[in-house]
Amino acid sequence: MKRRSLRDRVETIVSADWNRRLFDSLIPLPDGTSYNAYLVRGSEKTALLDSADPPFEDALLEQLADVPNVDYVVSHHAEQDHSGAIPAVLAKYPDALLLCTPKAKDLLADHLGVPEARIRTVADNETLSLGDKTLQFLHMPWVHWPETMTTWLAEDKILFSCDFFGSHLSTSNLYAADEPYVEEAAKRYYAEIMMPFRKTIRSHLTRVRELGAEMIAPSHGPVYNRPETILNAYADWVSDRISNTVVLPYISMHGSTQRMADRLADALVAQGVNVALFDLAATDIGKLAIALVDAATIAIGTPTVHVGPHPAVFSATHLANALRPKLKHAAIFGSYGWGTKAVEQIAGLIPNLKVDVLGTVLCKGLPRADDYAALDKLAAVIAERHAKLPQA
Ligand code: FEO
């Protein structure tokens, strides 16, 4: 895509990765993604904010072909999807200085081999005049790395937010207001990338609101020309609001755990509890992460493999623990052939989740009437706890 204008002499350079289906060899990308850079040309100086993932290096340089000079390259975040093409940009513009936070300096040297002499660090709130446009650097660590910053362009009231408010979404729509899929893509992005830093993000959100931005321009996905939408969505996601929902990830080898999952789900729904069921043999873990954003309870279902949980359950449980959702309660259920330590092993996988384990139901072979009764009772206990959740 060619550069497109956001304001007078403020342009997006979108590297659209329509067909990427996996990020970090882990995160599904059903809608692809984009790596957005921005070109800001003041009356005296020019700055390029971020770059692109290394496979898009040539495409980025092509978009810069008619830009004779860049004085500053701003690296908001050292991760390669934004900084990977910076060495090539610095080679094209040998007099350009790379600006970043002090923490990013080492990371850019470690990950990309950027020579120290090309880097100038910027302090929190520091301003840089480009002539009739002024950049202000706002350090915002832990969204989601420690070195991250954003840039505020005061004259145009645009916040360039890098990963913050991003969405893995490849689209020809420049603006989020025109993009029907952005809401879920942004929530997926928050769930997978930002959720572990919920409390830090809360304080950054306050700072962002005080700017009064007319646009928020992230480095993935479309630009928010009505920032209230994404600010309000983030405010909800990082809040303490918890929904009357049980997330129920499970897997089944011979059908026993499947029957238990179905029974527990039916019993919960009958008790007025919402359920999000995920068969880990087929599920998109991004959907699971989205469901965890505000759910009150996780109920993990597993058959037993070599005494422990099924590896897919092990992996999903480890992921849920790493994402640190707001969960208040947990339950474990499943089946085994001849012996099991699955419950103990799953319980040991969730130290970050500050949950009460409300019950465990394990059955040998096929579930029988007393197993179903135990699941019904578990559903009743969960419903009782959910009834005590603070109302939004
Ligand atoms: Fe989009 Fe943390 O990189």
Side-chain angles (χ1 to χ4, degrees), residues 34-203:
S34 70
Y35 320 105
N36 307 340
Y38 297 92
L39 190 67
V40 182
R41 289 191 268 200
S43 54
E44 292 169 20
K45 303 280 185 188
T46 294
L48 176 71
L49 314 186
D50 289 322
S51 65
D53 208 32
F56 287 81
E57 183 179 292
D58 289 346
L60 176 70
L61 293 179
E62 201 174 303
Q63 294 203 62
L64 291 168
D66 63 344
V67 179
N69 188 47
V70 166
D71 301 283
Y72 303 104
V73 179
V74 175
S75 172
H76 289 127
H77 172 33
E79 200 168 7
Q80 291 89 334
D81 52 326
H82 309 292
S83 291
I86 281 179
V89 173
L90 292 178
K92 176 176 167 64
Y93 302 106
D95 295 326
L97 264 182
L98 180 61
L99 307 179
C100 64
T101 63
K103 271 202 162 62
K105 186 175 178 180
D106 287 347
L107 290 167
L108 288 164
D110 290 342
H111 290 277
L112 299 162
V114 178
E116 244 181 67
R118 300 292 303 269
I119 301 178
R120 194 178 99 198
T121 61
V122 293
D124 189 20
N125 285 317
E126 185 174 329
T127 57
L128 174 75
S129 173
L130 304 178
D132 61 352
K133 292 186 187 290
T134 313
L135 304 182
Q136 183 176 21
F137 304 108
L138 309 177
H139 292 198
M140 294 208 184
W142 298 114
V143 291
H144 60 123
W145 277 26
E147 90 301 13
T148 312
M149 69 173 185
T150 62
T151 296
W152 173 238
L153 175 55
E155 290 81 1
D156 293 295
K157 293 192 176 301
I158 302 175
L159 179 72
F160 299 97
S161 61
C162 199
D163 276 343
F164 199 10
F165 308 115
S167 53
H168 279 313
L169 180 62
S170 196
T171 171
S172 59
N173 284 318
L174 179 56
Y175 294 114
D178 302 318
E179 174 48 57
Y181 301 110
V182 71
E183 195 176 330
E184 176 163 324
K187 190 168 186 182
R188 172 186 287 265
Y189 193 87
Y190 167 81
E192 293 167 338
I193 312 283
M194 300 290 170
M195 188 154 61
F197 309 101
R198 183 169 71 91
K199 292 193 173 154
T200 313
I201 289 172
R202 228 189 253 183
S203 63

